[in-house]
Structures are given as structure tokens and as C-alpha cells.
Amino acid sequence: METTNTFLDIWNTIMLSGALVIAGLGILIYLLHKLRVTTIQDYKAKYDYINQYEIKTYKRVFLCFAIAAAMVINLYGMSKLKTVEVWFFVRLFMSIAGGTLIAYVAALVLDYYYPTVLNKKLRKWRYLSRPSKAGGKMRLLSEDEEDVHLEEGMQAEENVFSIDYDVWLDESSGEIRIDKYPGHLQALKCNSCGFYTMRVVKEEITRHPSKDANGELIKHFQCSYCKSVRATAYNISTKEAGDYKAATEHSFRKNKNIDLVRVEIHSNVAGKKFFDFSNIEQAQKFLEEYDAEKVS
């Protein structure tokens, strides 16, 4: 009897101390992440760090909280439990189930809801005006303006939306900065479940661009939550780098409040087609070049 009581006392002490230590570890991980984000001065580097590590870090934080919660649940009724009996194992099962439920719900929130919040945060750091080395304020160039500063390969990447480049210019000093980003959003919104969980799983070029006709790229998407699929056709432009050198400058900037521009075209020749673009300028350029007979 005395040995059993000693075991329970040690067990309860471990559960209480462990809950405090692991919860503290979770808070420490969170604070270190926030400190790291704060100390990164370069906006692009801050964007990359948040994009790569924020969700992973938060999953570790919530895992710590889930383990701590399980230990706290395991202390329920400890003053009434005097010996190791059935209730001890029932309580142990309840604590494991409670901790698992907390971790599972947190993972669902971080996988299917938080990407929407994260996308807004990333857009803030992506489009926040950069200071130049000379101390001036850099301006984000429009799609037409930036092509003059991009190599042919970079323009080709943008044409098929695999990579997106932002070109910043300090008009007083002439300093140019080119930032490279993934061509897709953190995740697109699924039309079936409504979550931002639609990702590209396959790409195929169904028609290569020629001198007189644009090409067509088909991107196949699948929702990682409800598993619904979608295929979207993208226009591959036939323009070359020299076509952009005469582009006139515009004062407008990319619209920071638009995540996706969808163009739906109904045609007797080509039927119904969807085209997705990352901003209004790409959609406008596509509509100017669009020819239903060539795309059919």
C-alpha cells in the first residue's frame, strides 16, 4: 500500500512538473520564432523565413501544448486515487485521447485555415516598399515595366506562372532589385470545400507556342483536404524580350488586395474555359492577345 502510494505521488509530480516544463517549452519556441522574425531586417528574407517556418513552428508549439494538456488531464481526481486500479488506466486513456484531440484540431487549423491568414501576412512583407542602398524609397514596377529588366528565361518562367518576379526601382539612384517568388499562391481556394488547399500536382503543355499562335499549358490541381480535382488552361505568350523594350512606364502598382484573377470564357468554338492569373495586368495582357480559334 505504501509502495503504491509512493508510486502515485511520484507519478503525479512528474505529470505536474512535466506539464509546466513542456508548456514553457512551447511558449519558448513561439517567442524565439517571433524574435527571429523581428530581427530579420530584409523584407524578402523575412518573407522567405515566415513562408518556410511559421506553420512548422506553430505545429511544434501546439504539440507541446497538447502534451502538457494530456499531463494536466492525467491529474484529474489525483487526491481521490489512492491505489493503482482501473480508474488509473481510464484516466491515462482519457489524457492521451484529450492530448491527441488538441494536437489533431490544431493541425487541421494550421493546414486548412491558417494558410489564408499566412497569405495575407506574406503579401504584406512582399509589397511593403523597400529602402534602397542610397536611402531612397524603391517603387514596385508594373508587369509591363518590369519585363525590360528581366532576362528571357525569367520572362518565360513568368509566362507559364512557375515563377513570379518583383522588380523594385529607386528612380533617384537607378538601383534595381529583383525578388523571386513561387508562381503560385500558398494554396488556391477549393471550390468544393472552400478551403485554401488546392495545389498543383501536374503540369503539361498541350500546345507549344509558335510564331503565329500562343501555346497552352494545362495545370492539374488537387485539393489536399477533400481530394477534388481541377484543370486550368494557361496561355503561353509568343512575345519575346525585345517586344517589351518599348513598353511605356506606368505609375500604377500591383494591386495588393487581389490574390487571384479568374477569366471565364464561353465560346461556340472553344467551349467554356477558365484562365487564372496572379494579378489584373496579366489578365489584361491575356485578353488583348486572346484568340478563341487559336485556343480551341
Side-chain angles (χ1 to χ4, degrees), residues 93 97 117 120 144 154 200 204 245:
F93 172 78
V117 178
K120 293 179 181 178
D144 288 335
M154 293 179 175
V200 177
E204 59 178 336
K245 292 182 178 179

Side-chain angles (χ1 to χ4, degrees), residues 173-200:
S173 65
E175 179 186 343
I176 295 175
R177 170 174 176 157
I178 301 177
D179 291 336
K180 181 179 179 179
Y181 297 92
H184 305 292
L185 305 174
Q186 182 75 13
L188 297 178
K189 184 176 182 179
C190 175
N191 293 330
S192 298
C193 65
F195 290 117
Y196 286 79
T197 49
M198 187 69 72
R199 302 178 185 276
V200 177

Side-chain angles (χ1 to χ4, degrees), residues 185 188-189 230 234 258-262 276-279:
L185 305 174
L188 297 178
K189 184 176 182 179
R230 183 177 87 197
Y234 292 90
I258 296 179
D259 288 335
L260 179 71
V261 177
R262 163 166 288 189
D276 292 343
F277 304 92
S278 59
N279 56 61

Side-chain angles (χ1 to χ4, degrees), residues 34-52:
K34 288 297 184 182
L35 179 62
R36 174 59 177 156
V37 171
T38 304
T39 55
I40 299 176
Q41 299 299 318
D42 183 78
Y43 296 157
K44 177 61 168 64
K46 193 188 293 282
Y47 175 102
D48 291 338
Y49 180 83
I50 293 174
N51 187 39
Q52 184 174 358

Side-chain angles (χ1 to χ4, degrees), residues 46 109 148 155 184 187 194 202 218 221 224 239 247:
K46 193 188 293 282
V109 171
V148 179
Q155 293 182 35
H184 305 292
K202 180 183 177 183
I218 303 294
F221 298 84
S224 59
K239 282 192 174 184

